[in-house]
């Protein structure tokens, strides 16, 4: 039986699609019928995507002009824009507050928070045409924090707040804004940080009451729900997909 296609005709931009979670989300939205522009600093390989429904583009989301050009290209190519997924994130930095170089702090906030703001600012005028959805990929570390992760946690807490402002400021234009807060997810990013897959599991699984960490596919399923009409009455809120990490 063919999969249901709740996003038939919709057009989505997914940033950070070169990473495992962004790629899984972009692929899932495509499988649900959307036409998708996966974005990263360099153009991503599109194996696995239907060729007629994908437009991979390179864009530095901290560059206001480049983000404006990105949105214009997507609207020109697909004729509309319905969904923005702000998923890109700066490379991981850990260090206590006083060991965080100001340029690292600025870069993390610039990519994780200001980049999302810039894409919303450029994209919302098009979403206004027929309503639309903004999904910000936050983190369990936007709700709580962990030692040595001040810049990352602040950026993700900022995204939760930006989500609420977007939802309130644009509700009467038919636009919804939601966020998804993953717990640890088995991605290259996590493996790089821990040194190996085994080390990533050993470090992170015990912190999650369910006894394991998440998968990119689980995040993609949650993302699909949030951007689909099944979530039409949900706006301004965050979905924690964190295996219970924040319960303790
Ligand atoms: N992996 C996890 O355990 C985990 C947990 C909680 C939240 N998250 C969040 O999920 C999202 C995806 O995580 P991931 O593990 O796939 O990360 P990742 O680091 O593999 O992917 C992030 C992507 O963003 C891109 N990027 C960085 N700066 C950019 C810029 N200026 N312009 C455009 N693209 C840029 C990178 O090139 C990279 O491909 C991130 O927002 C991350 O914070 C991940």
């Amino acid at each position: 039986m063919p999969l249901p296609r709740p996003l038939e005709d919709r057009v989505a931009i997914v940033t950070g699609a070169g990473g495992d979670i962004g790629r899984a989300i972009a692929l899932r939205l495509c499988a649900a019928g959307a036409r998708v522009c996966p974005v990263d600093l360099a153009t991503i390989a599109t194996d696995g995507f239907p060729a007629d429904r994908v437009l991979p583009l390179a864009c530095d989301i901290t560059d206001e002009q480049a983000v404006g050009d990105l949105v214009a290209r997507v609207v020109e190519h697909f004729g509309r824009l319905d969904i923005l997924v702000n998923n890109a994130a700066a490379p991981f930095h850990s260090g206590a507050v006083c060991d965080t170089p100001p340029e690292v702090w600025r870069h993390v906030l610039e990519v994780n928070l200001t980049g999302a703001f810039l894409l919303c600012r450029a994209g919302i005028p098009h979403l206004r045409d027929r309503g639309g959805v903004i999904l910000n990929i936050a983190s369990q570390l936007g709700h709580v924090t962990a030692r040595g992760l001040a810049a990352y946690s602040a950026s993700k807490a900022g995204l939760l707040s930006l989500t609420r402002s977007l939802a309130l400021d644009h509700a009467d234009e038919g636009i919804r804004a939601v966020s998804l807060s993953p717990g640890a997810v088995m991605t290259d990013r996590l493996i790089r940080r821990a040194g190996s897959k085994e080390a990533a599991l050993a470090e992170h699984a015990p912190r999650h009451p369910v006894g394991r960490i998440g998968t990119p596919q689980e995040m993609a399923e949650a993302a699909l729900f949030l951007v689909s009409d099944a979530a039409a009455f949900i706006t301004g809120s965050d979905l924690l997909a964190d295996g219970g990490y924040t319960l303790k």
Side-chain angles (χ1 to χ4, degrees):
M1 240 193 25
L3 281 173
R5 291 162 66 91
L7 301 184
E8 194 80 63
D9 295 333
R10 313 273 166 95
V11 172
I13 294 177
V14 180
T15 68
D20 292 324
I21 294 176
R23 184 179 168 79
I25 293 174
L27 278 167
R28 188 67 188 94
L29 301 196
C30 242
R35 289 166 288 164
V36 176
C37 172
V39 176
D40 211 294
L41 286 167
T43 310
I44 71 154
T46 53
D47 46 299
F49 287 88
D52 58 333
R53 286 194 286 117
V54 64
L55 176 70
L57 291 176
C59 176
D60 178 346
I61 57 156
T62 66
D63 179 338
E64 183 182 350
Q65 176 71 45
V67 171
D69 293 347
L70 164 78
V71 167
R73 282 254 344 246
V74 172
V75 172
E76 187 194 332
H77 185 83
F78 288 129
R80 59 189 280 171
L81 181 60
D82 306 275
I83 299 166
L84 306 176
V85 182
N86 289 303
N87 167 79
F92 222 85
H93 168 81
S94 54
V97 173
C98 287
D99 300 328
T100 301
E103 61 273 20
V104 169
W105 172 272
R106 288 193 195 98
H107 184 64
V108 171
L109 271 287
E110 191 76 11
V111 176
N112 298 9
L113 184 55
T114 308
F117 160 75
L118 290 177
L119 184 60
C120 291
R121 207 165 173 277
I124 282 171
H126 300 281
L127 299 188
R128 277 183 185 134
D129 290 348
R130 45 177 87 71
V133 190
I134 297 161
L135 170 61
N136 294 322
I137 306 301
S139 167
Q140 89 276 38
L141 297 175
H143 292 260
V144 295
T145 192
R147 276 176 201 272
L149 294 177
Y152 183 78
S153 285
S155 72
K156 295 300 185 176
L159 268 182
L160 299 178
S161 178
L162 175 64
T163 303
R164 291 189 286 269
S165 292
L166 288 163
L168 198 53
D169 289 351
H170 299 286
D172 55 7
E173 294 154 23
I175 294 171
R176 292 192 298 115
V178 284
S179 59
L180 173 66
S181 286
V185 178
M186 188 55 85
T187 61
D188 275 352
R189 180 188 183 90
L190 205 74
I191 295 169
R192 273 196 308 272
R193 232 177 99 203
S196 69
K197 194 173 175 179
E198 294 68 33
L201 270 176
E203 181 184 345
H204 294 284
R207 297 178 182 165
H208 296 69
V210 298
R212 68 173 179 89
I213 66 177
T215 66
Q217 288 68 33
E218 286 172 323
M219 300 309 123
E221 291 300 333
L224 172 60
F225 165 68
L226 287 169
V227 302
S228 73
D229 291 345
F233 199 53
I234 300 176
T235 194
S237 48
D238 180 69
L239 178 60
L240 270 160
D242 72 346
Y245 183 102
T246 47
L247 293 173
K248 294 185 275 181

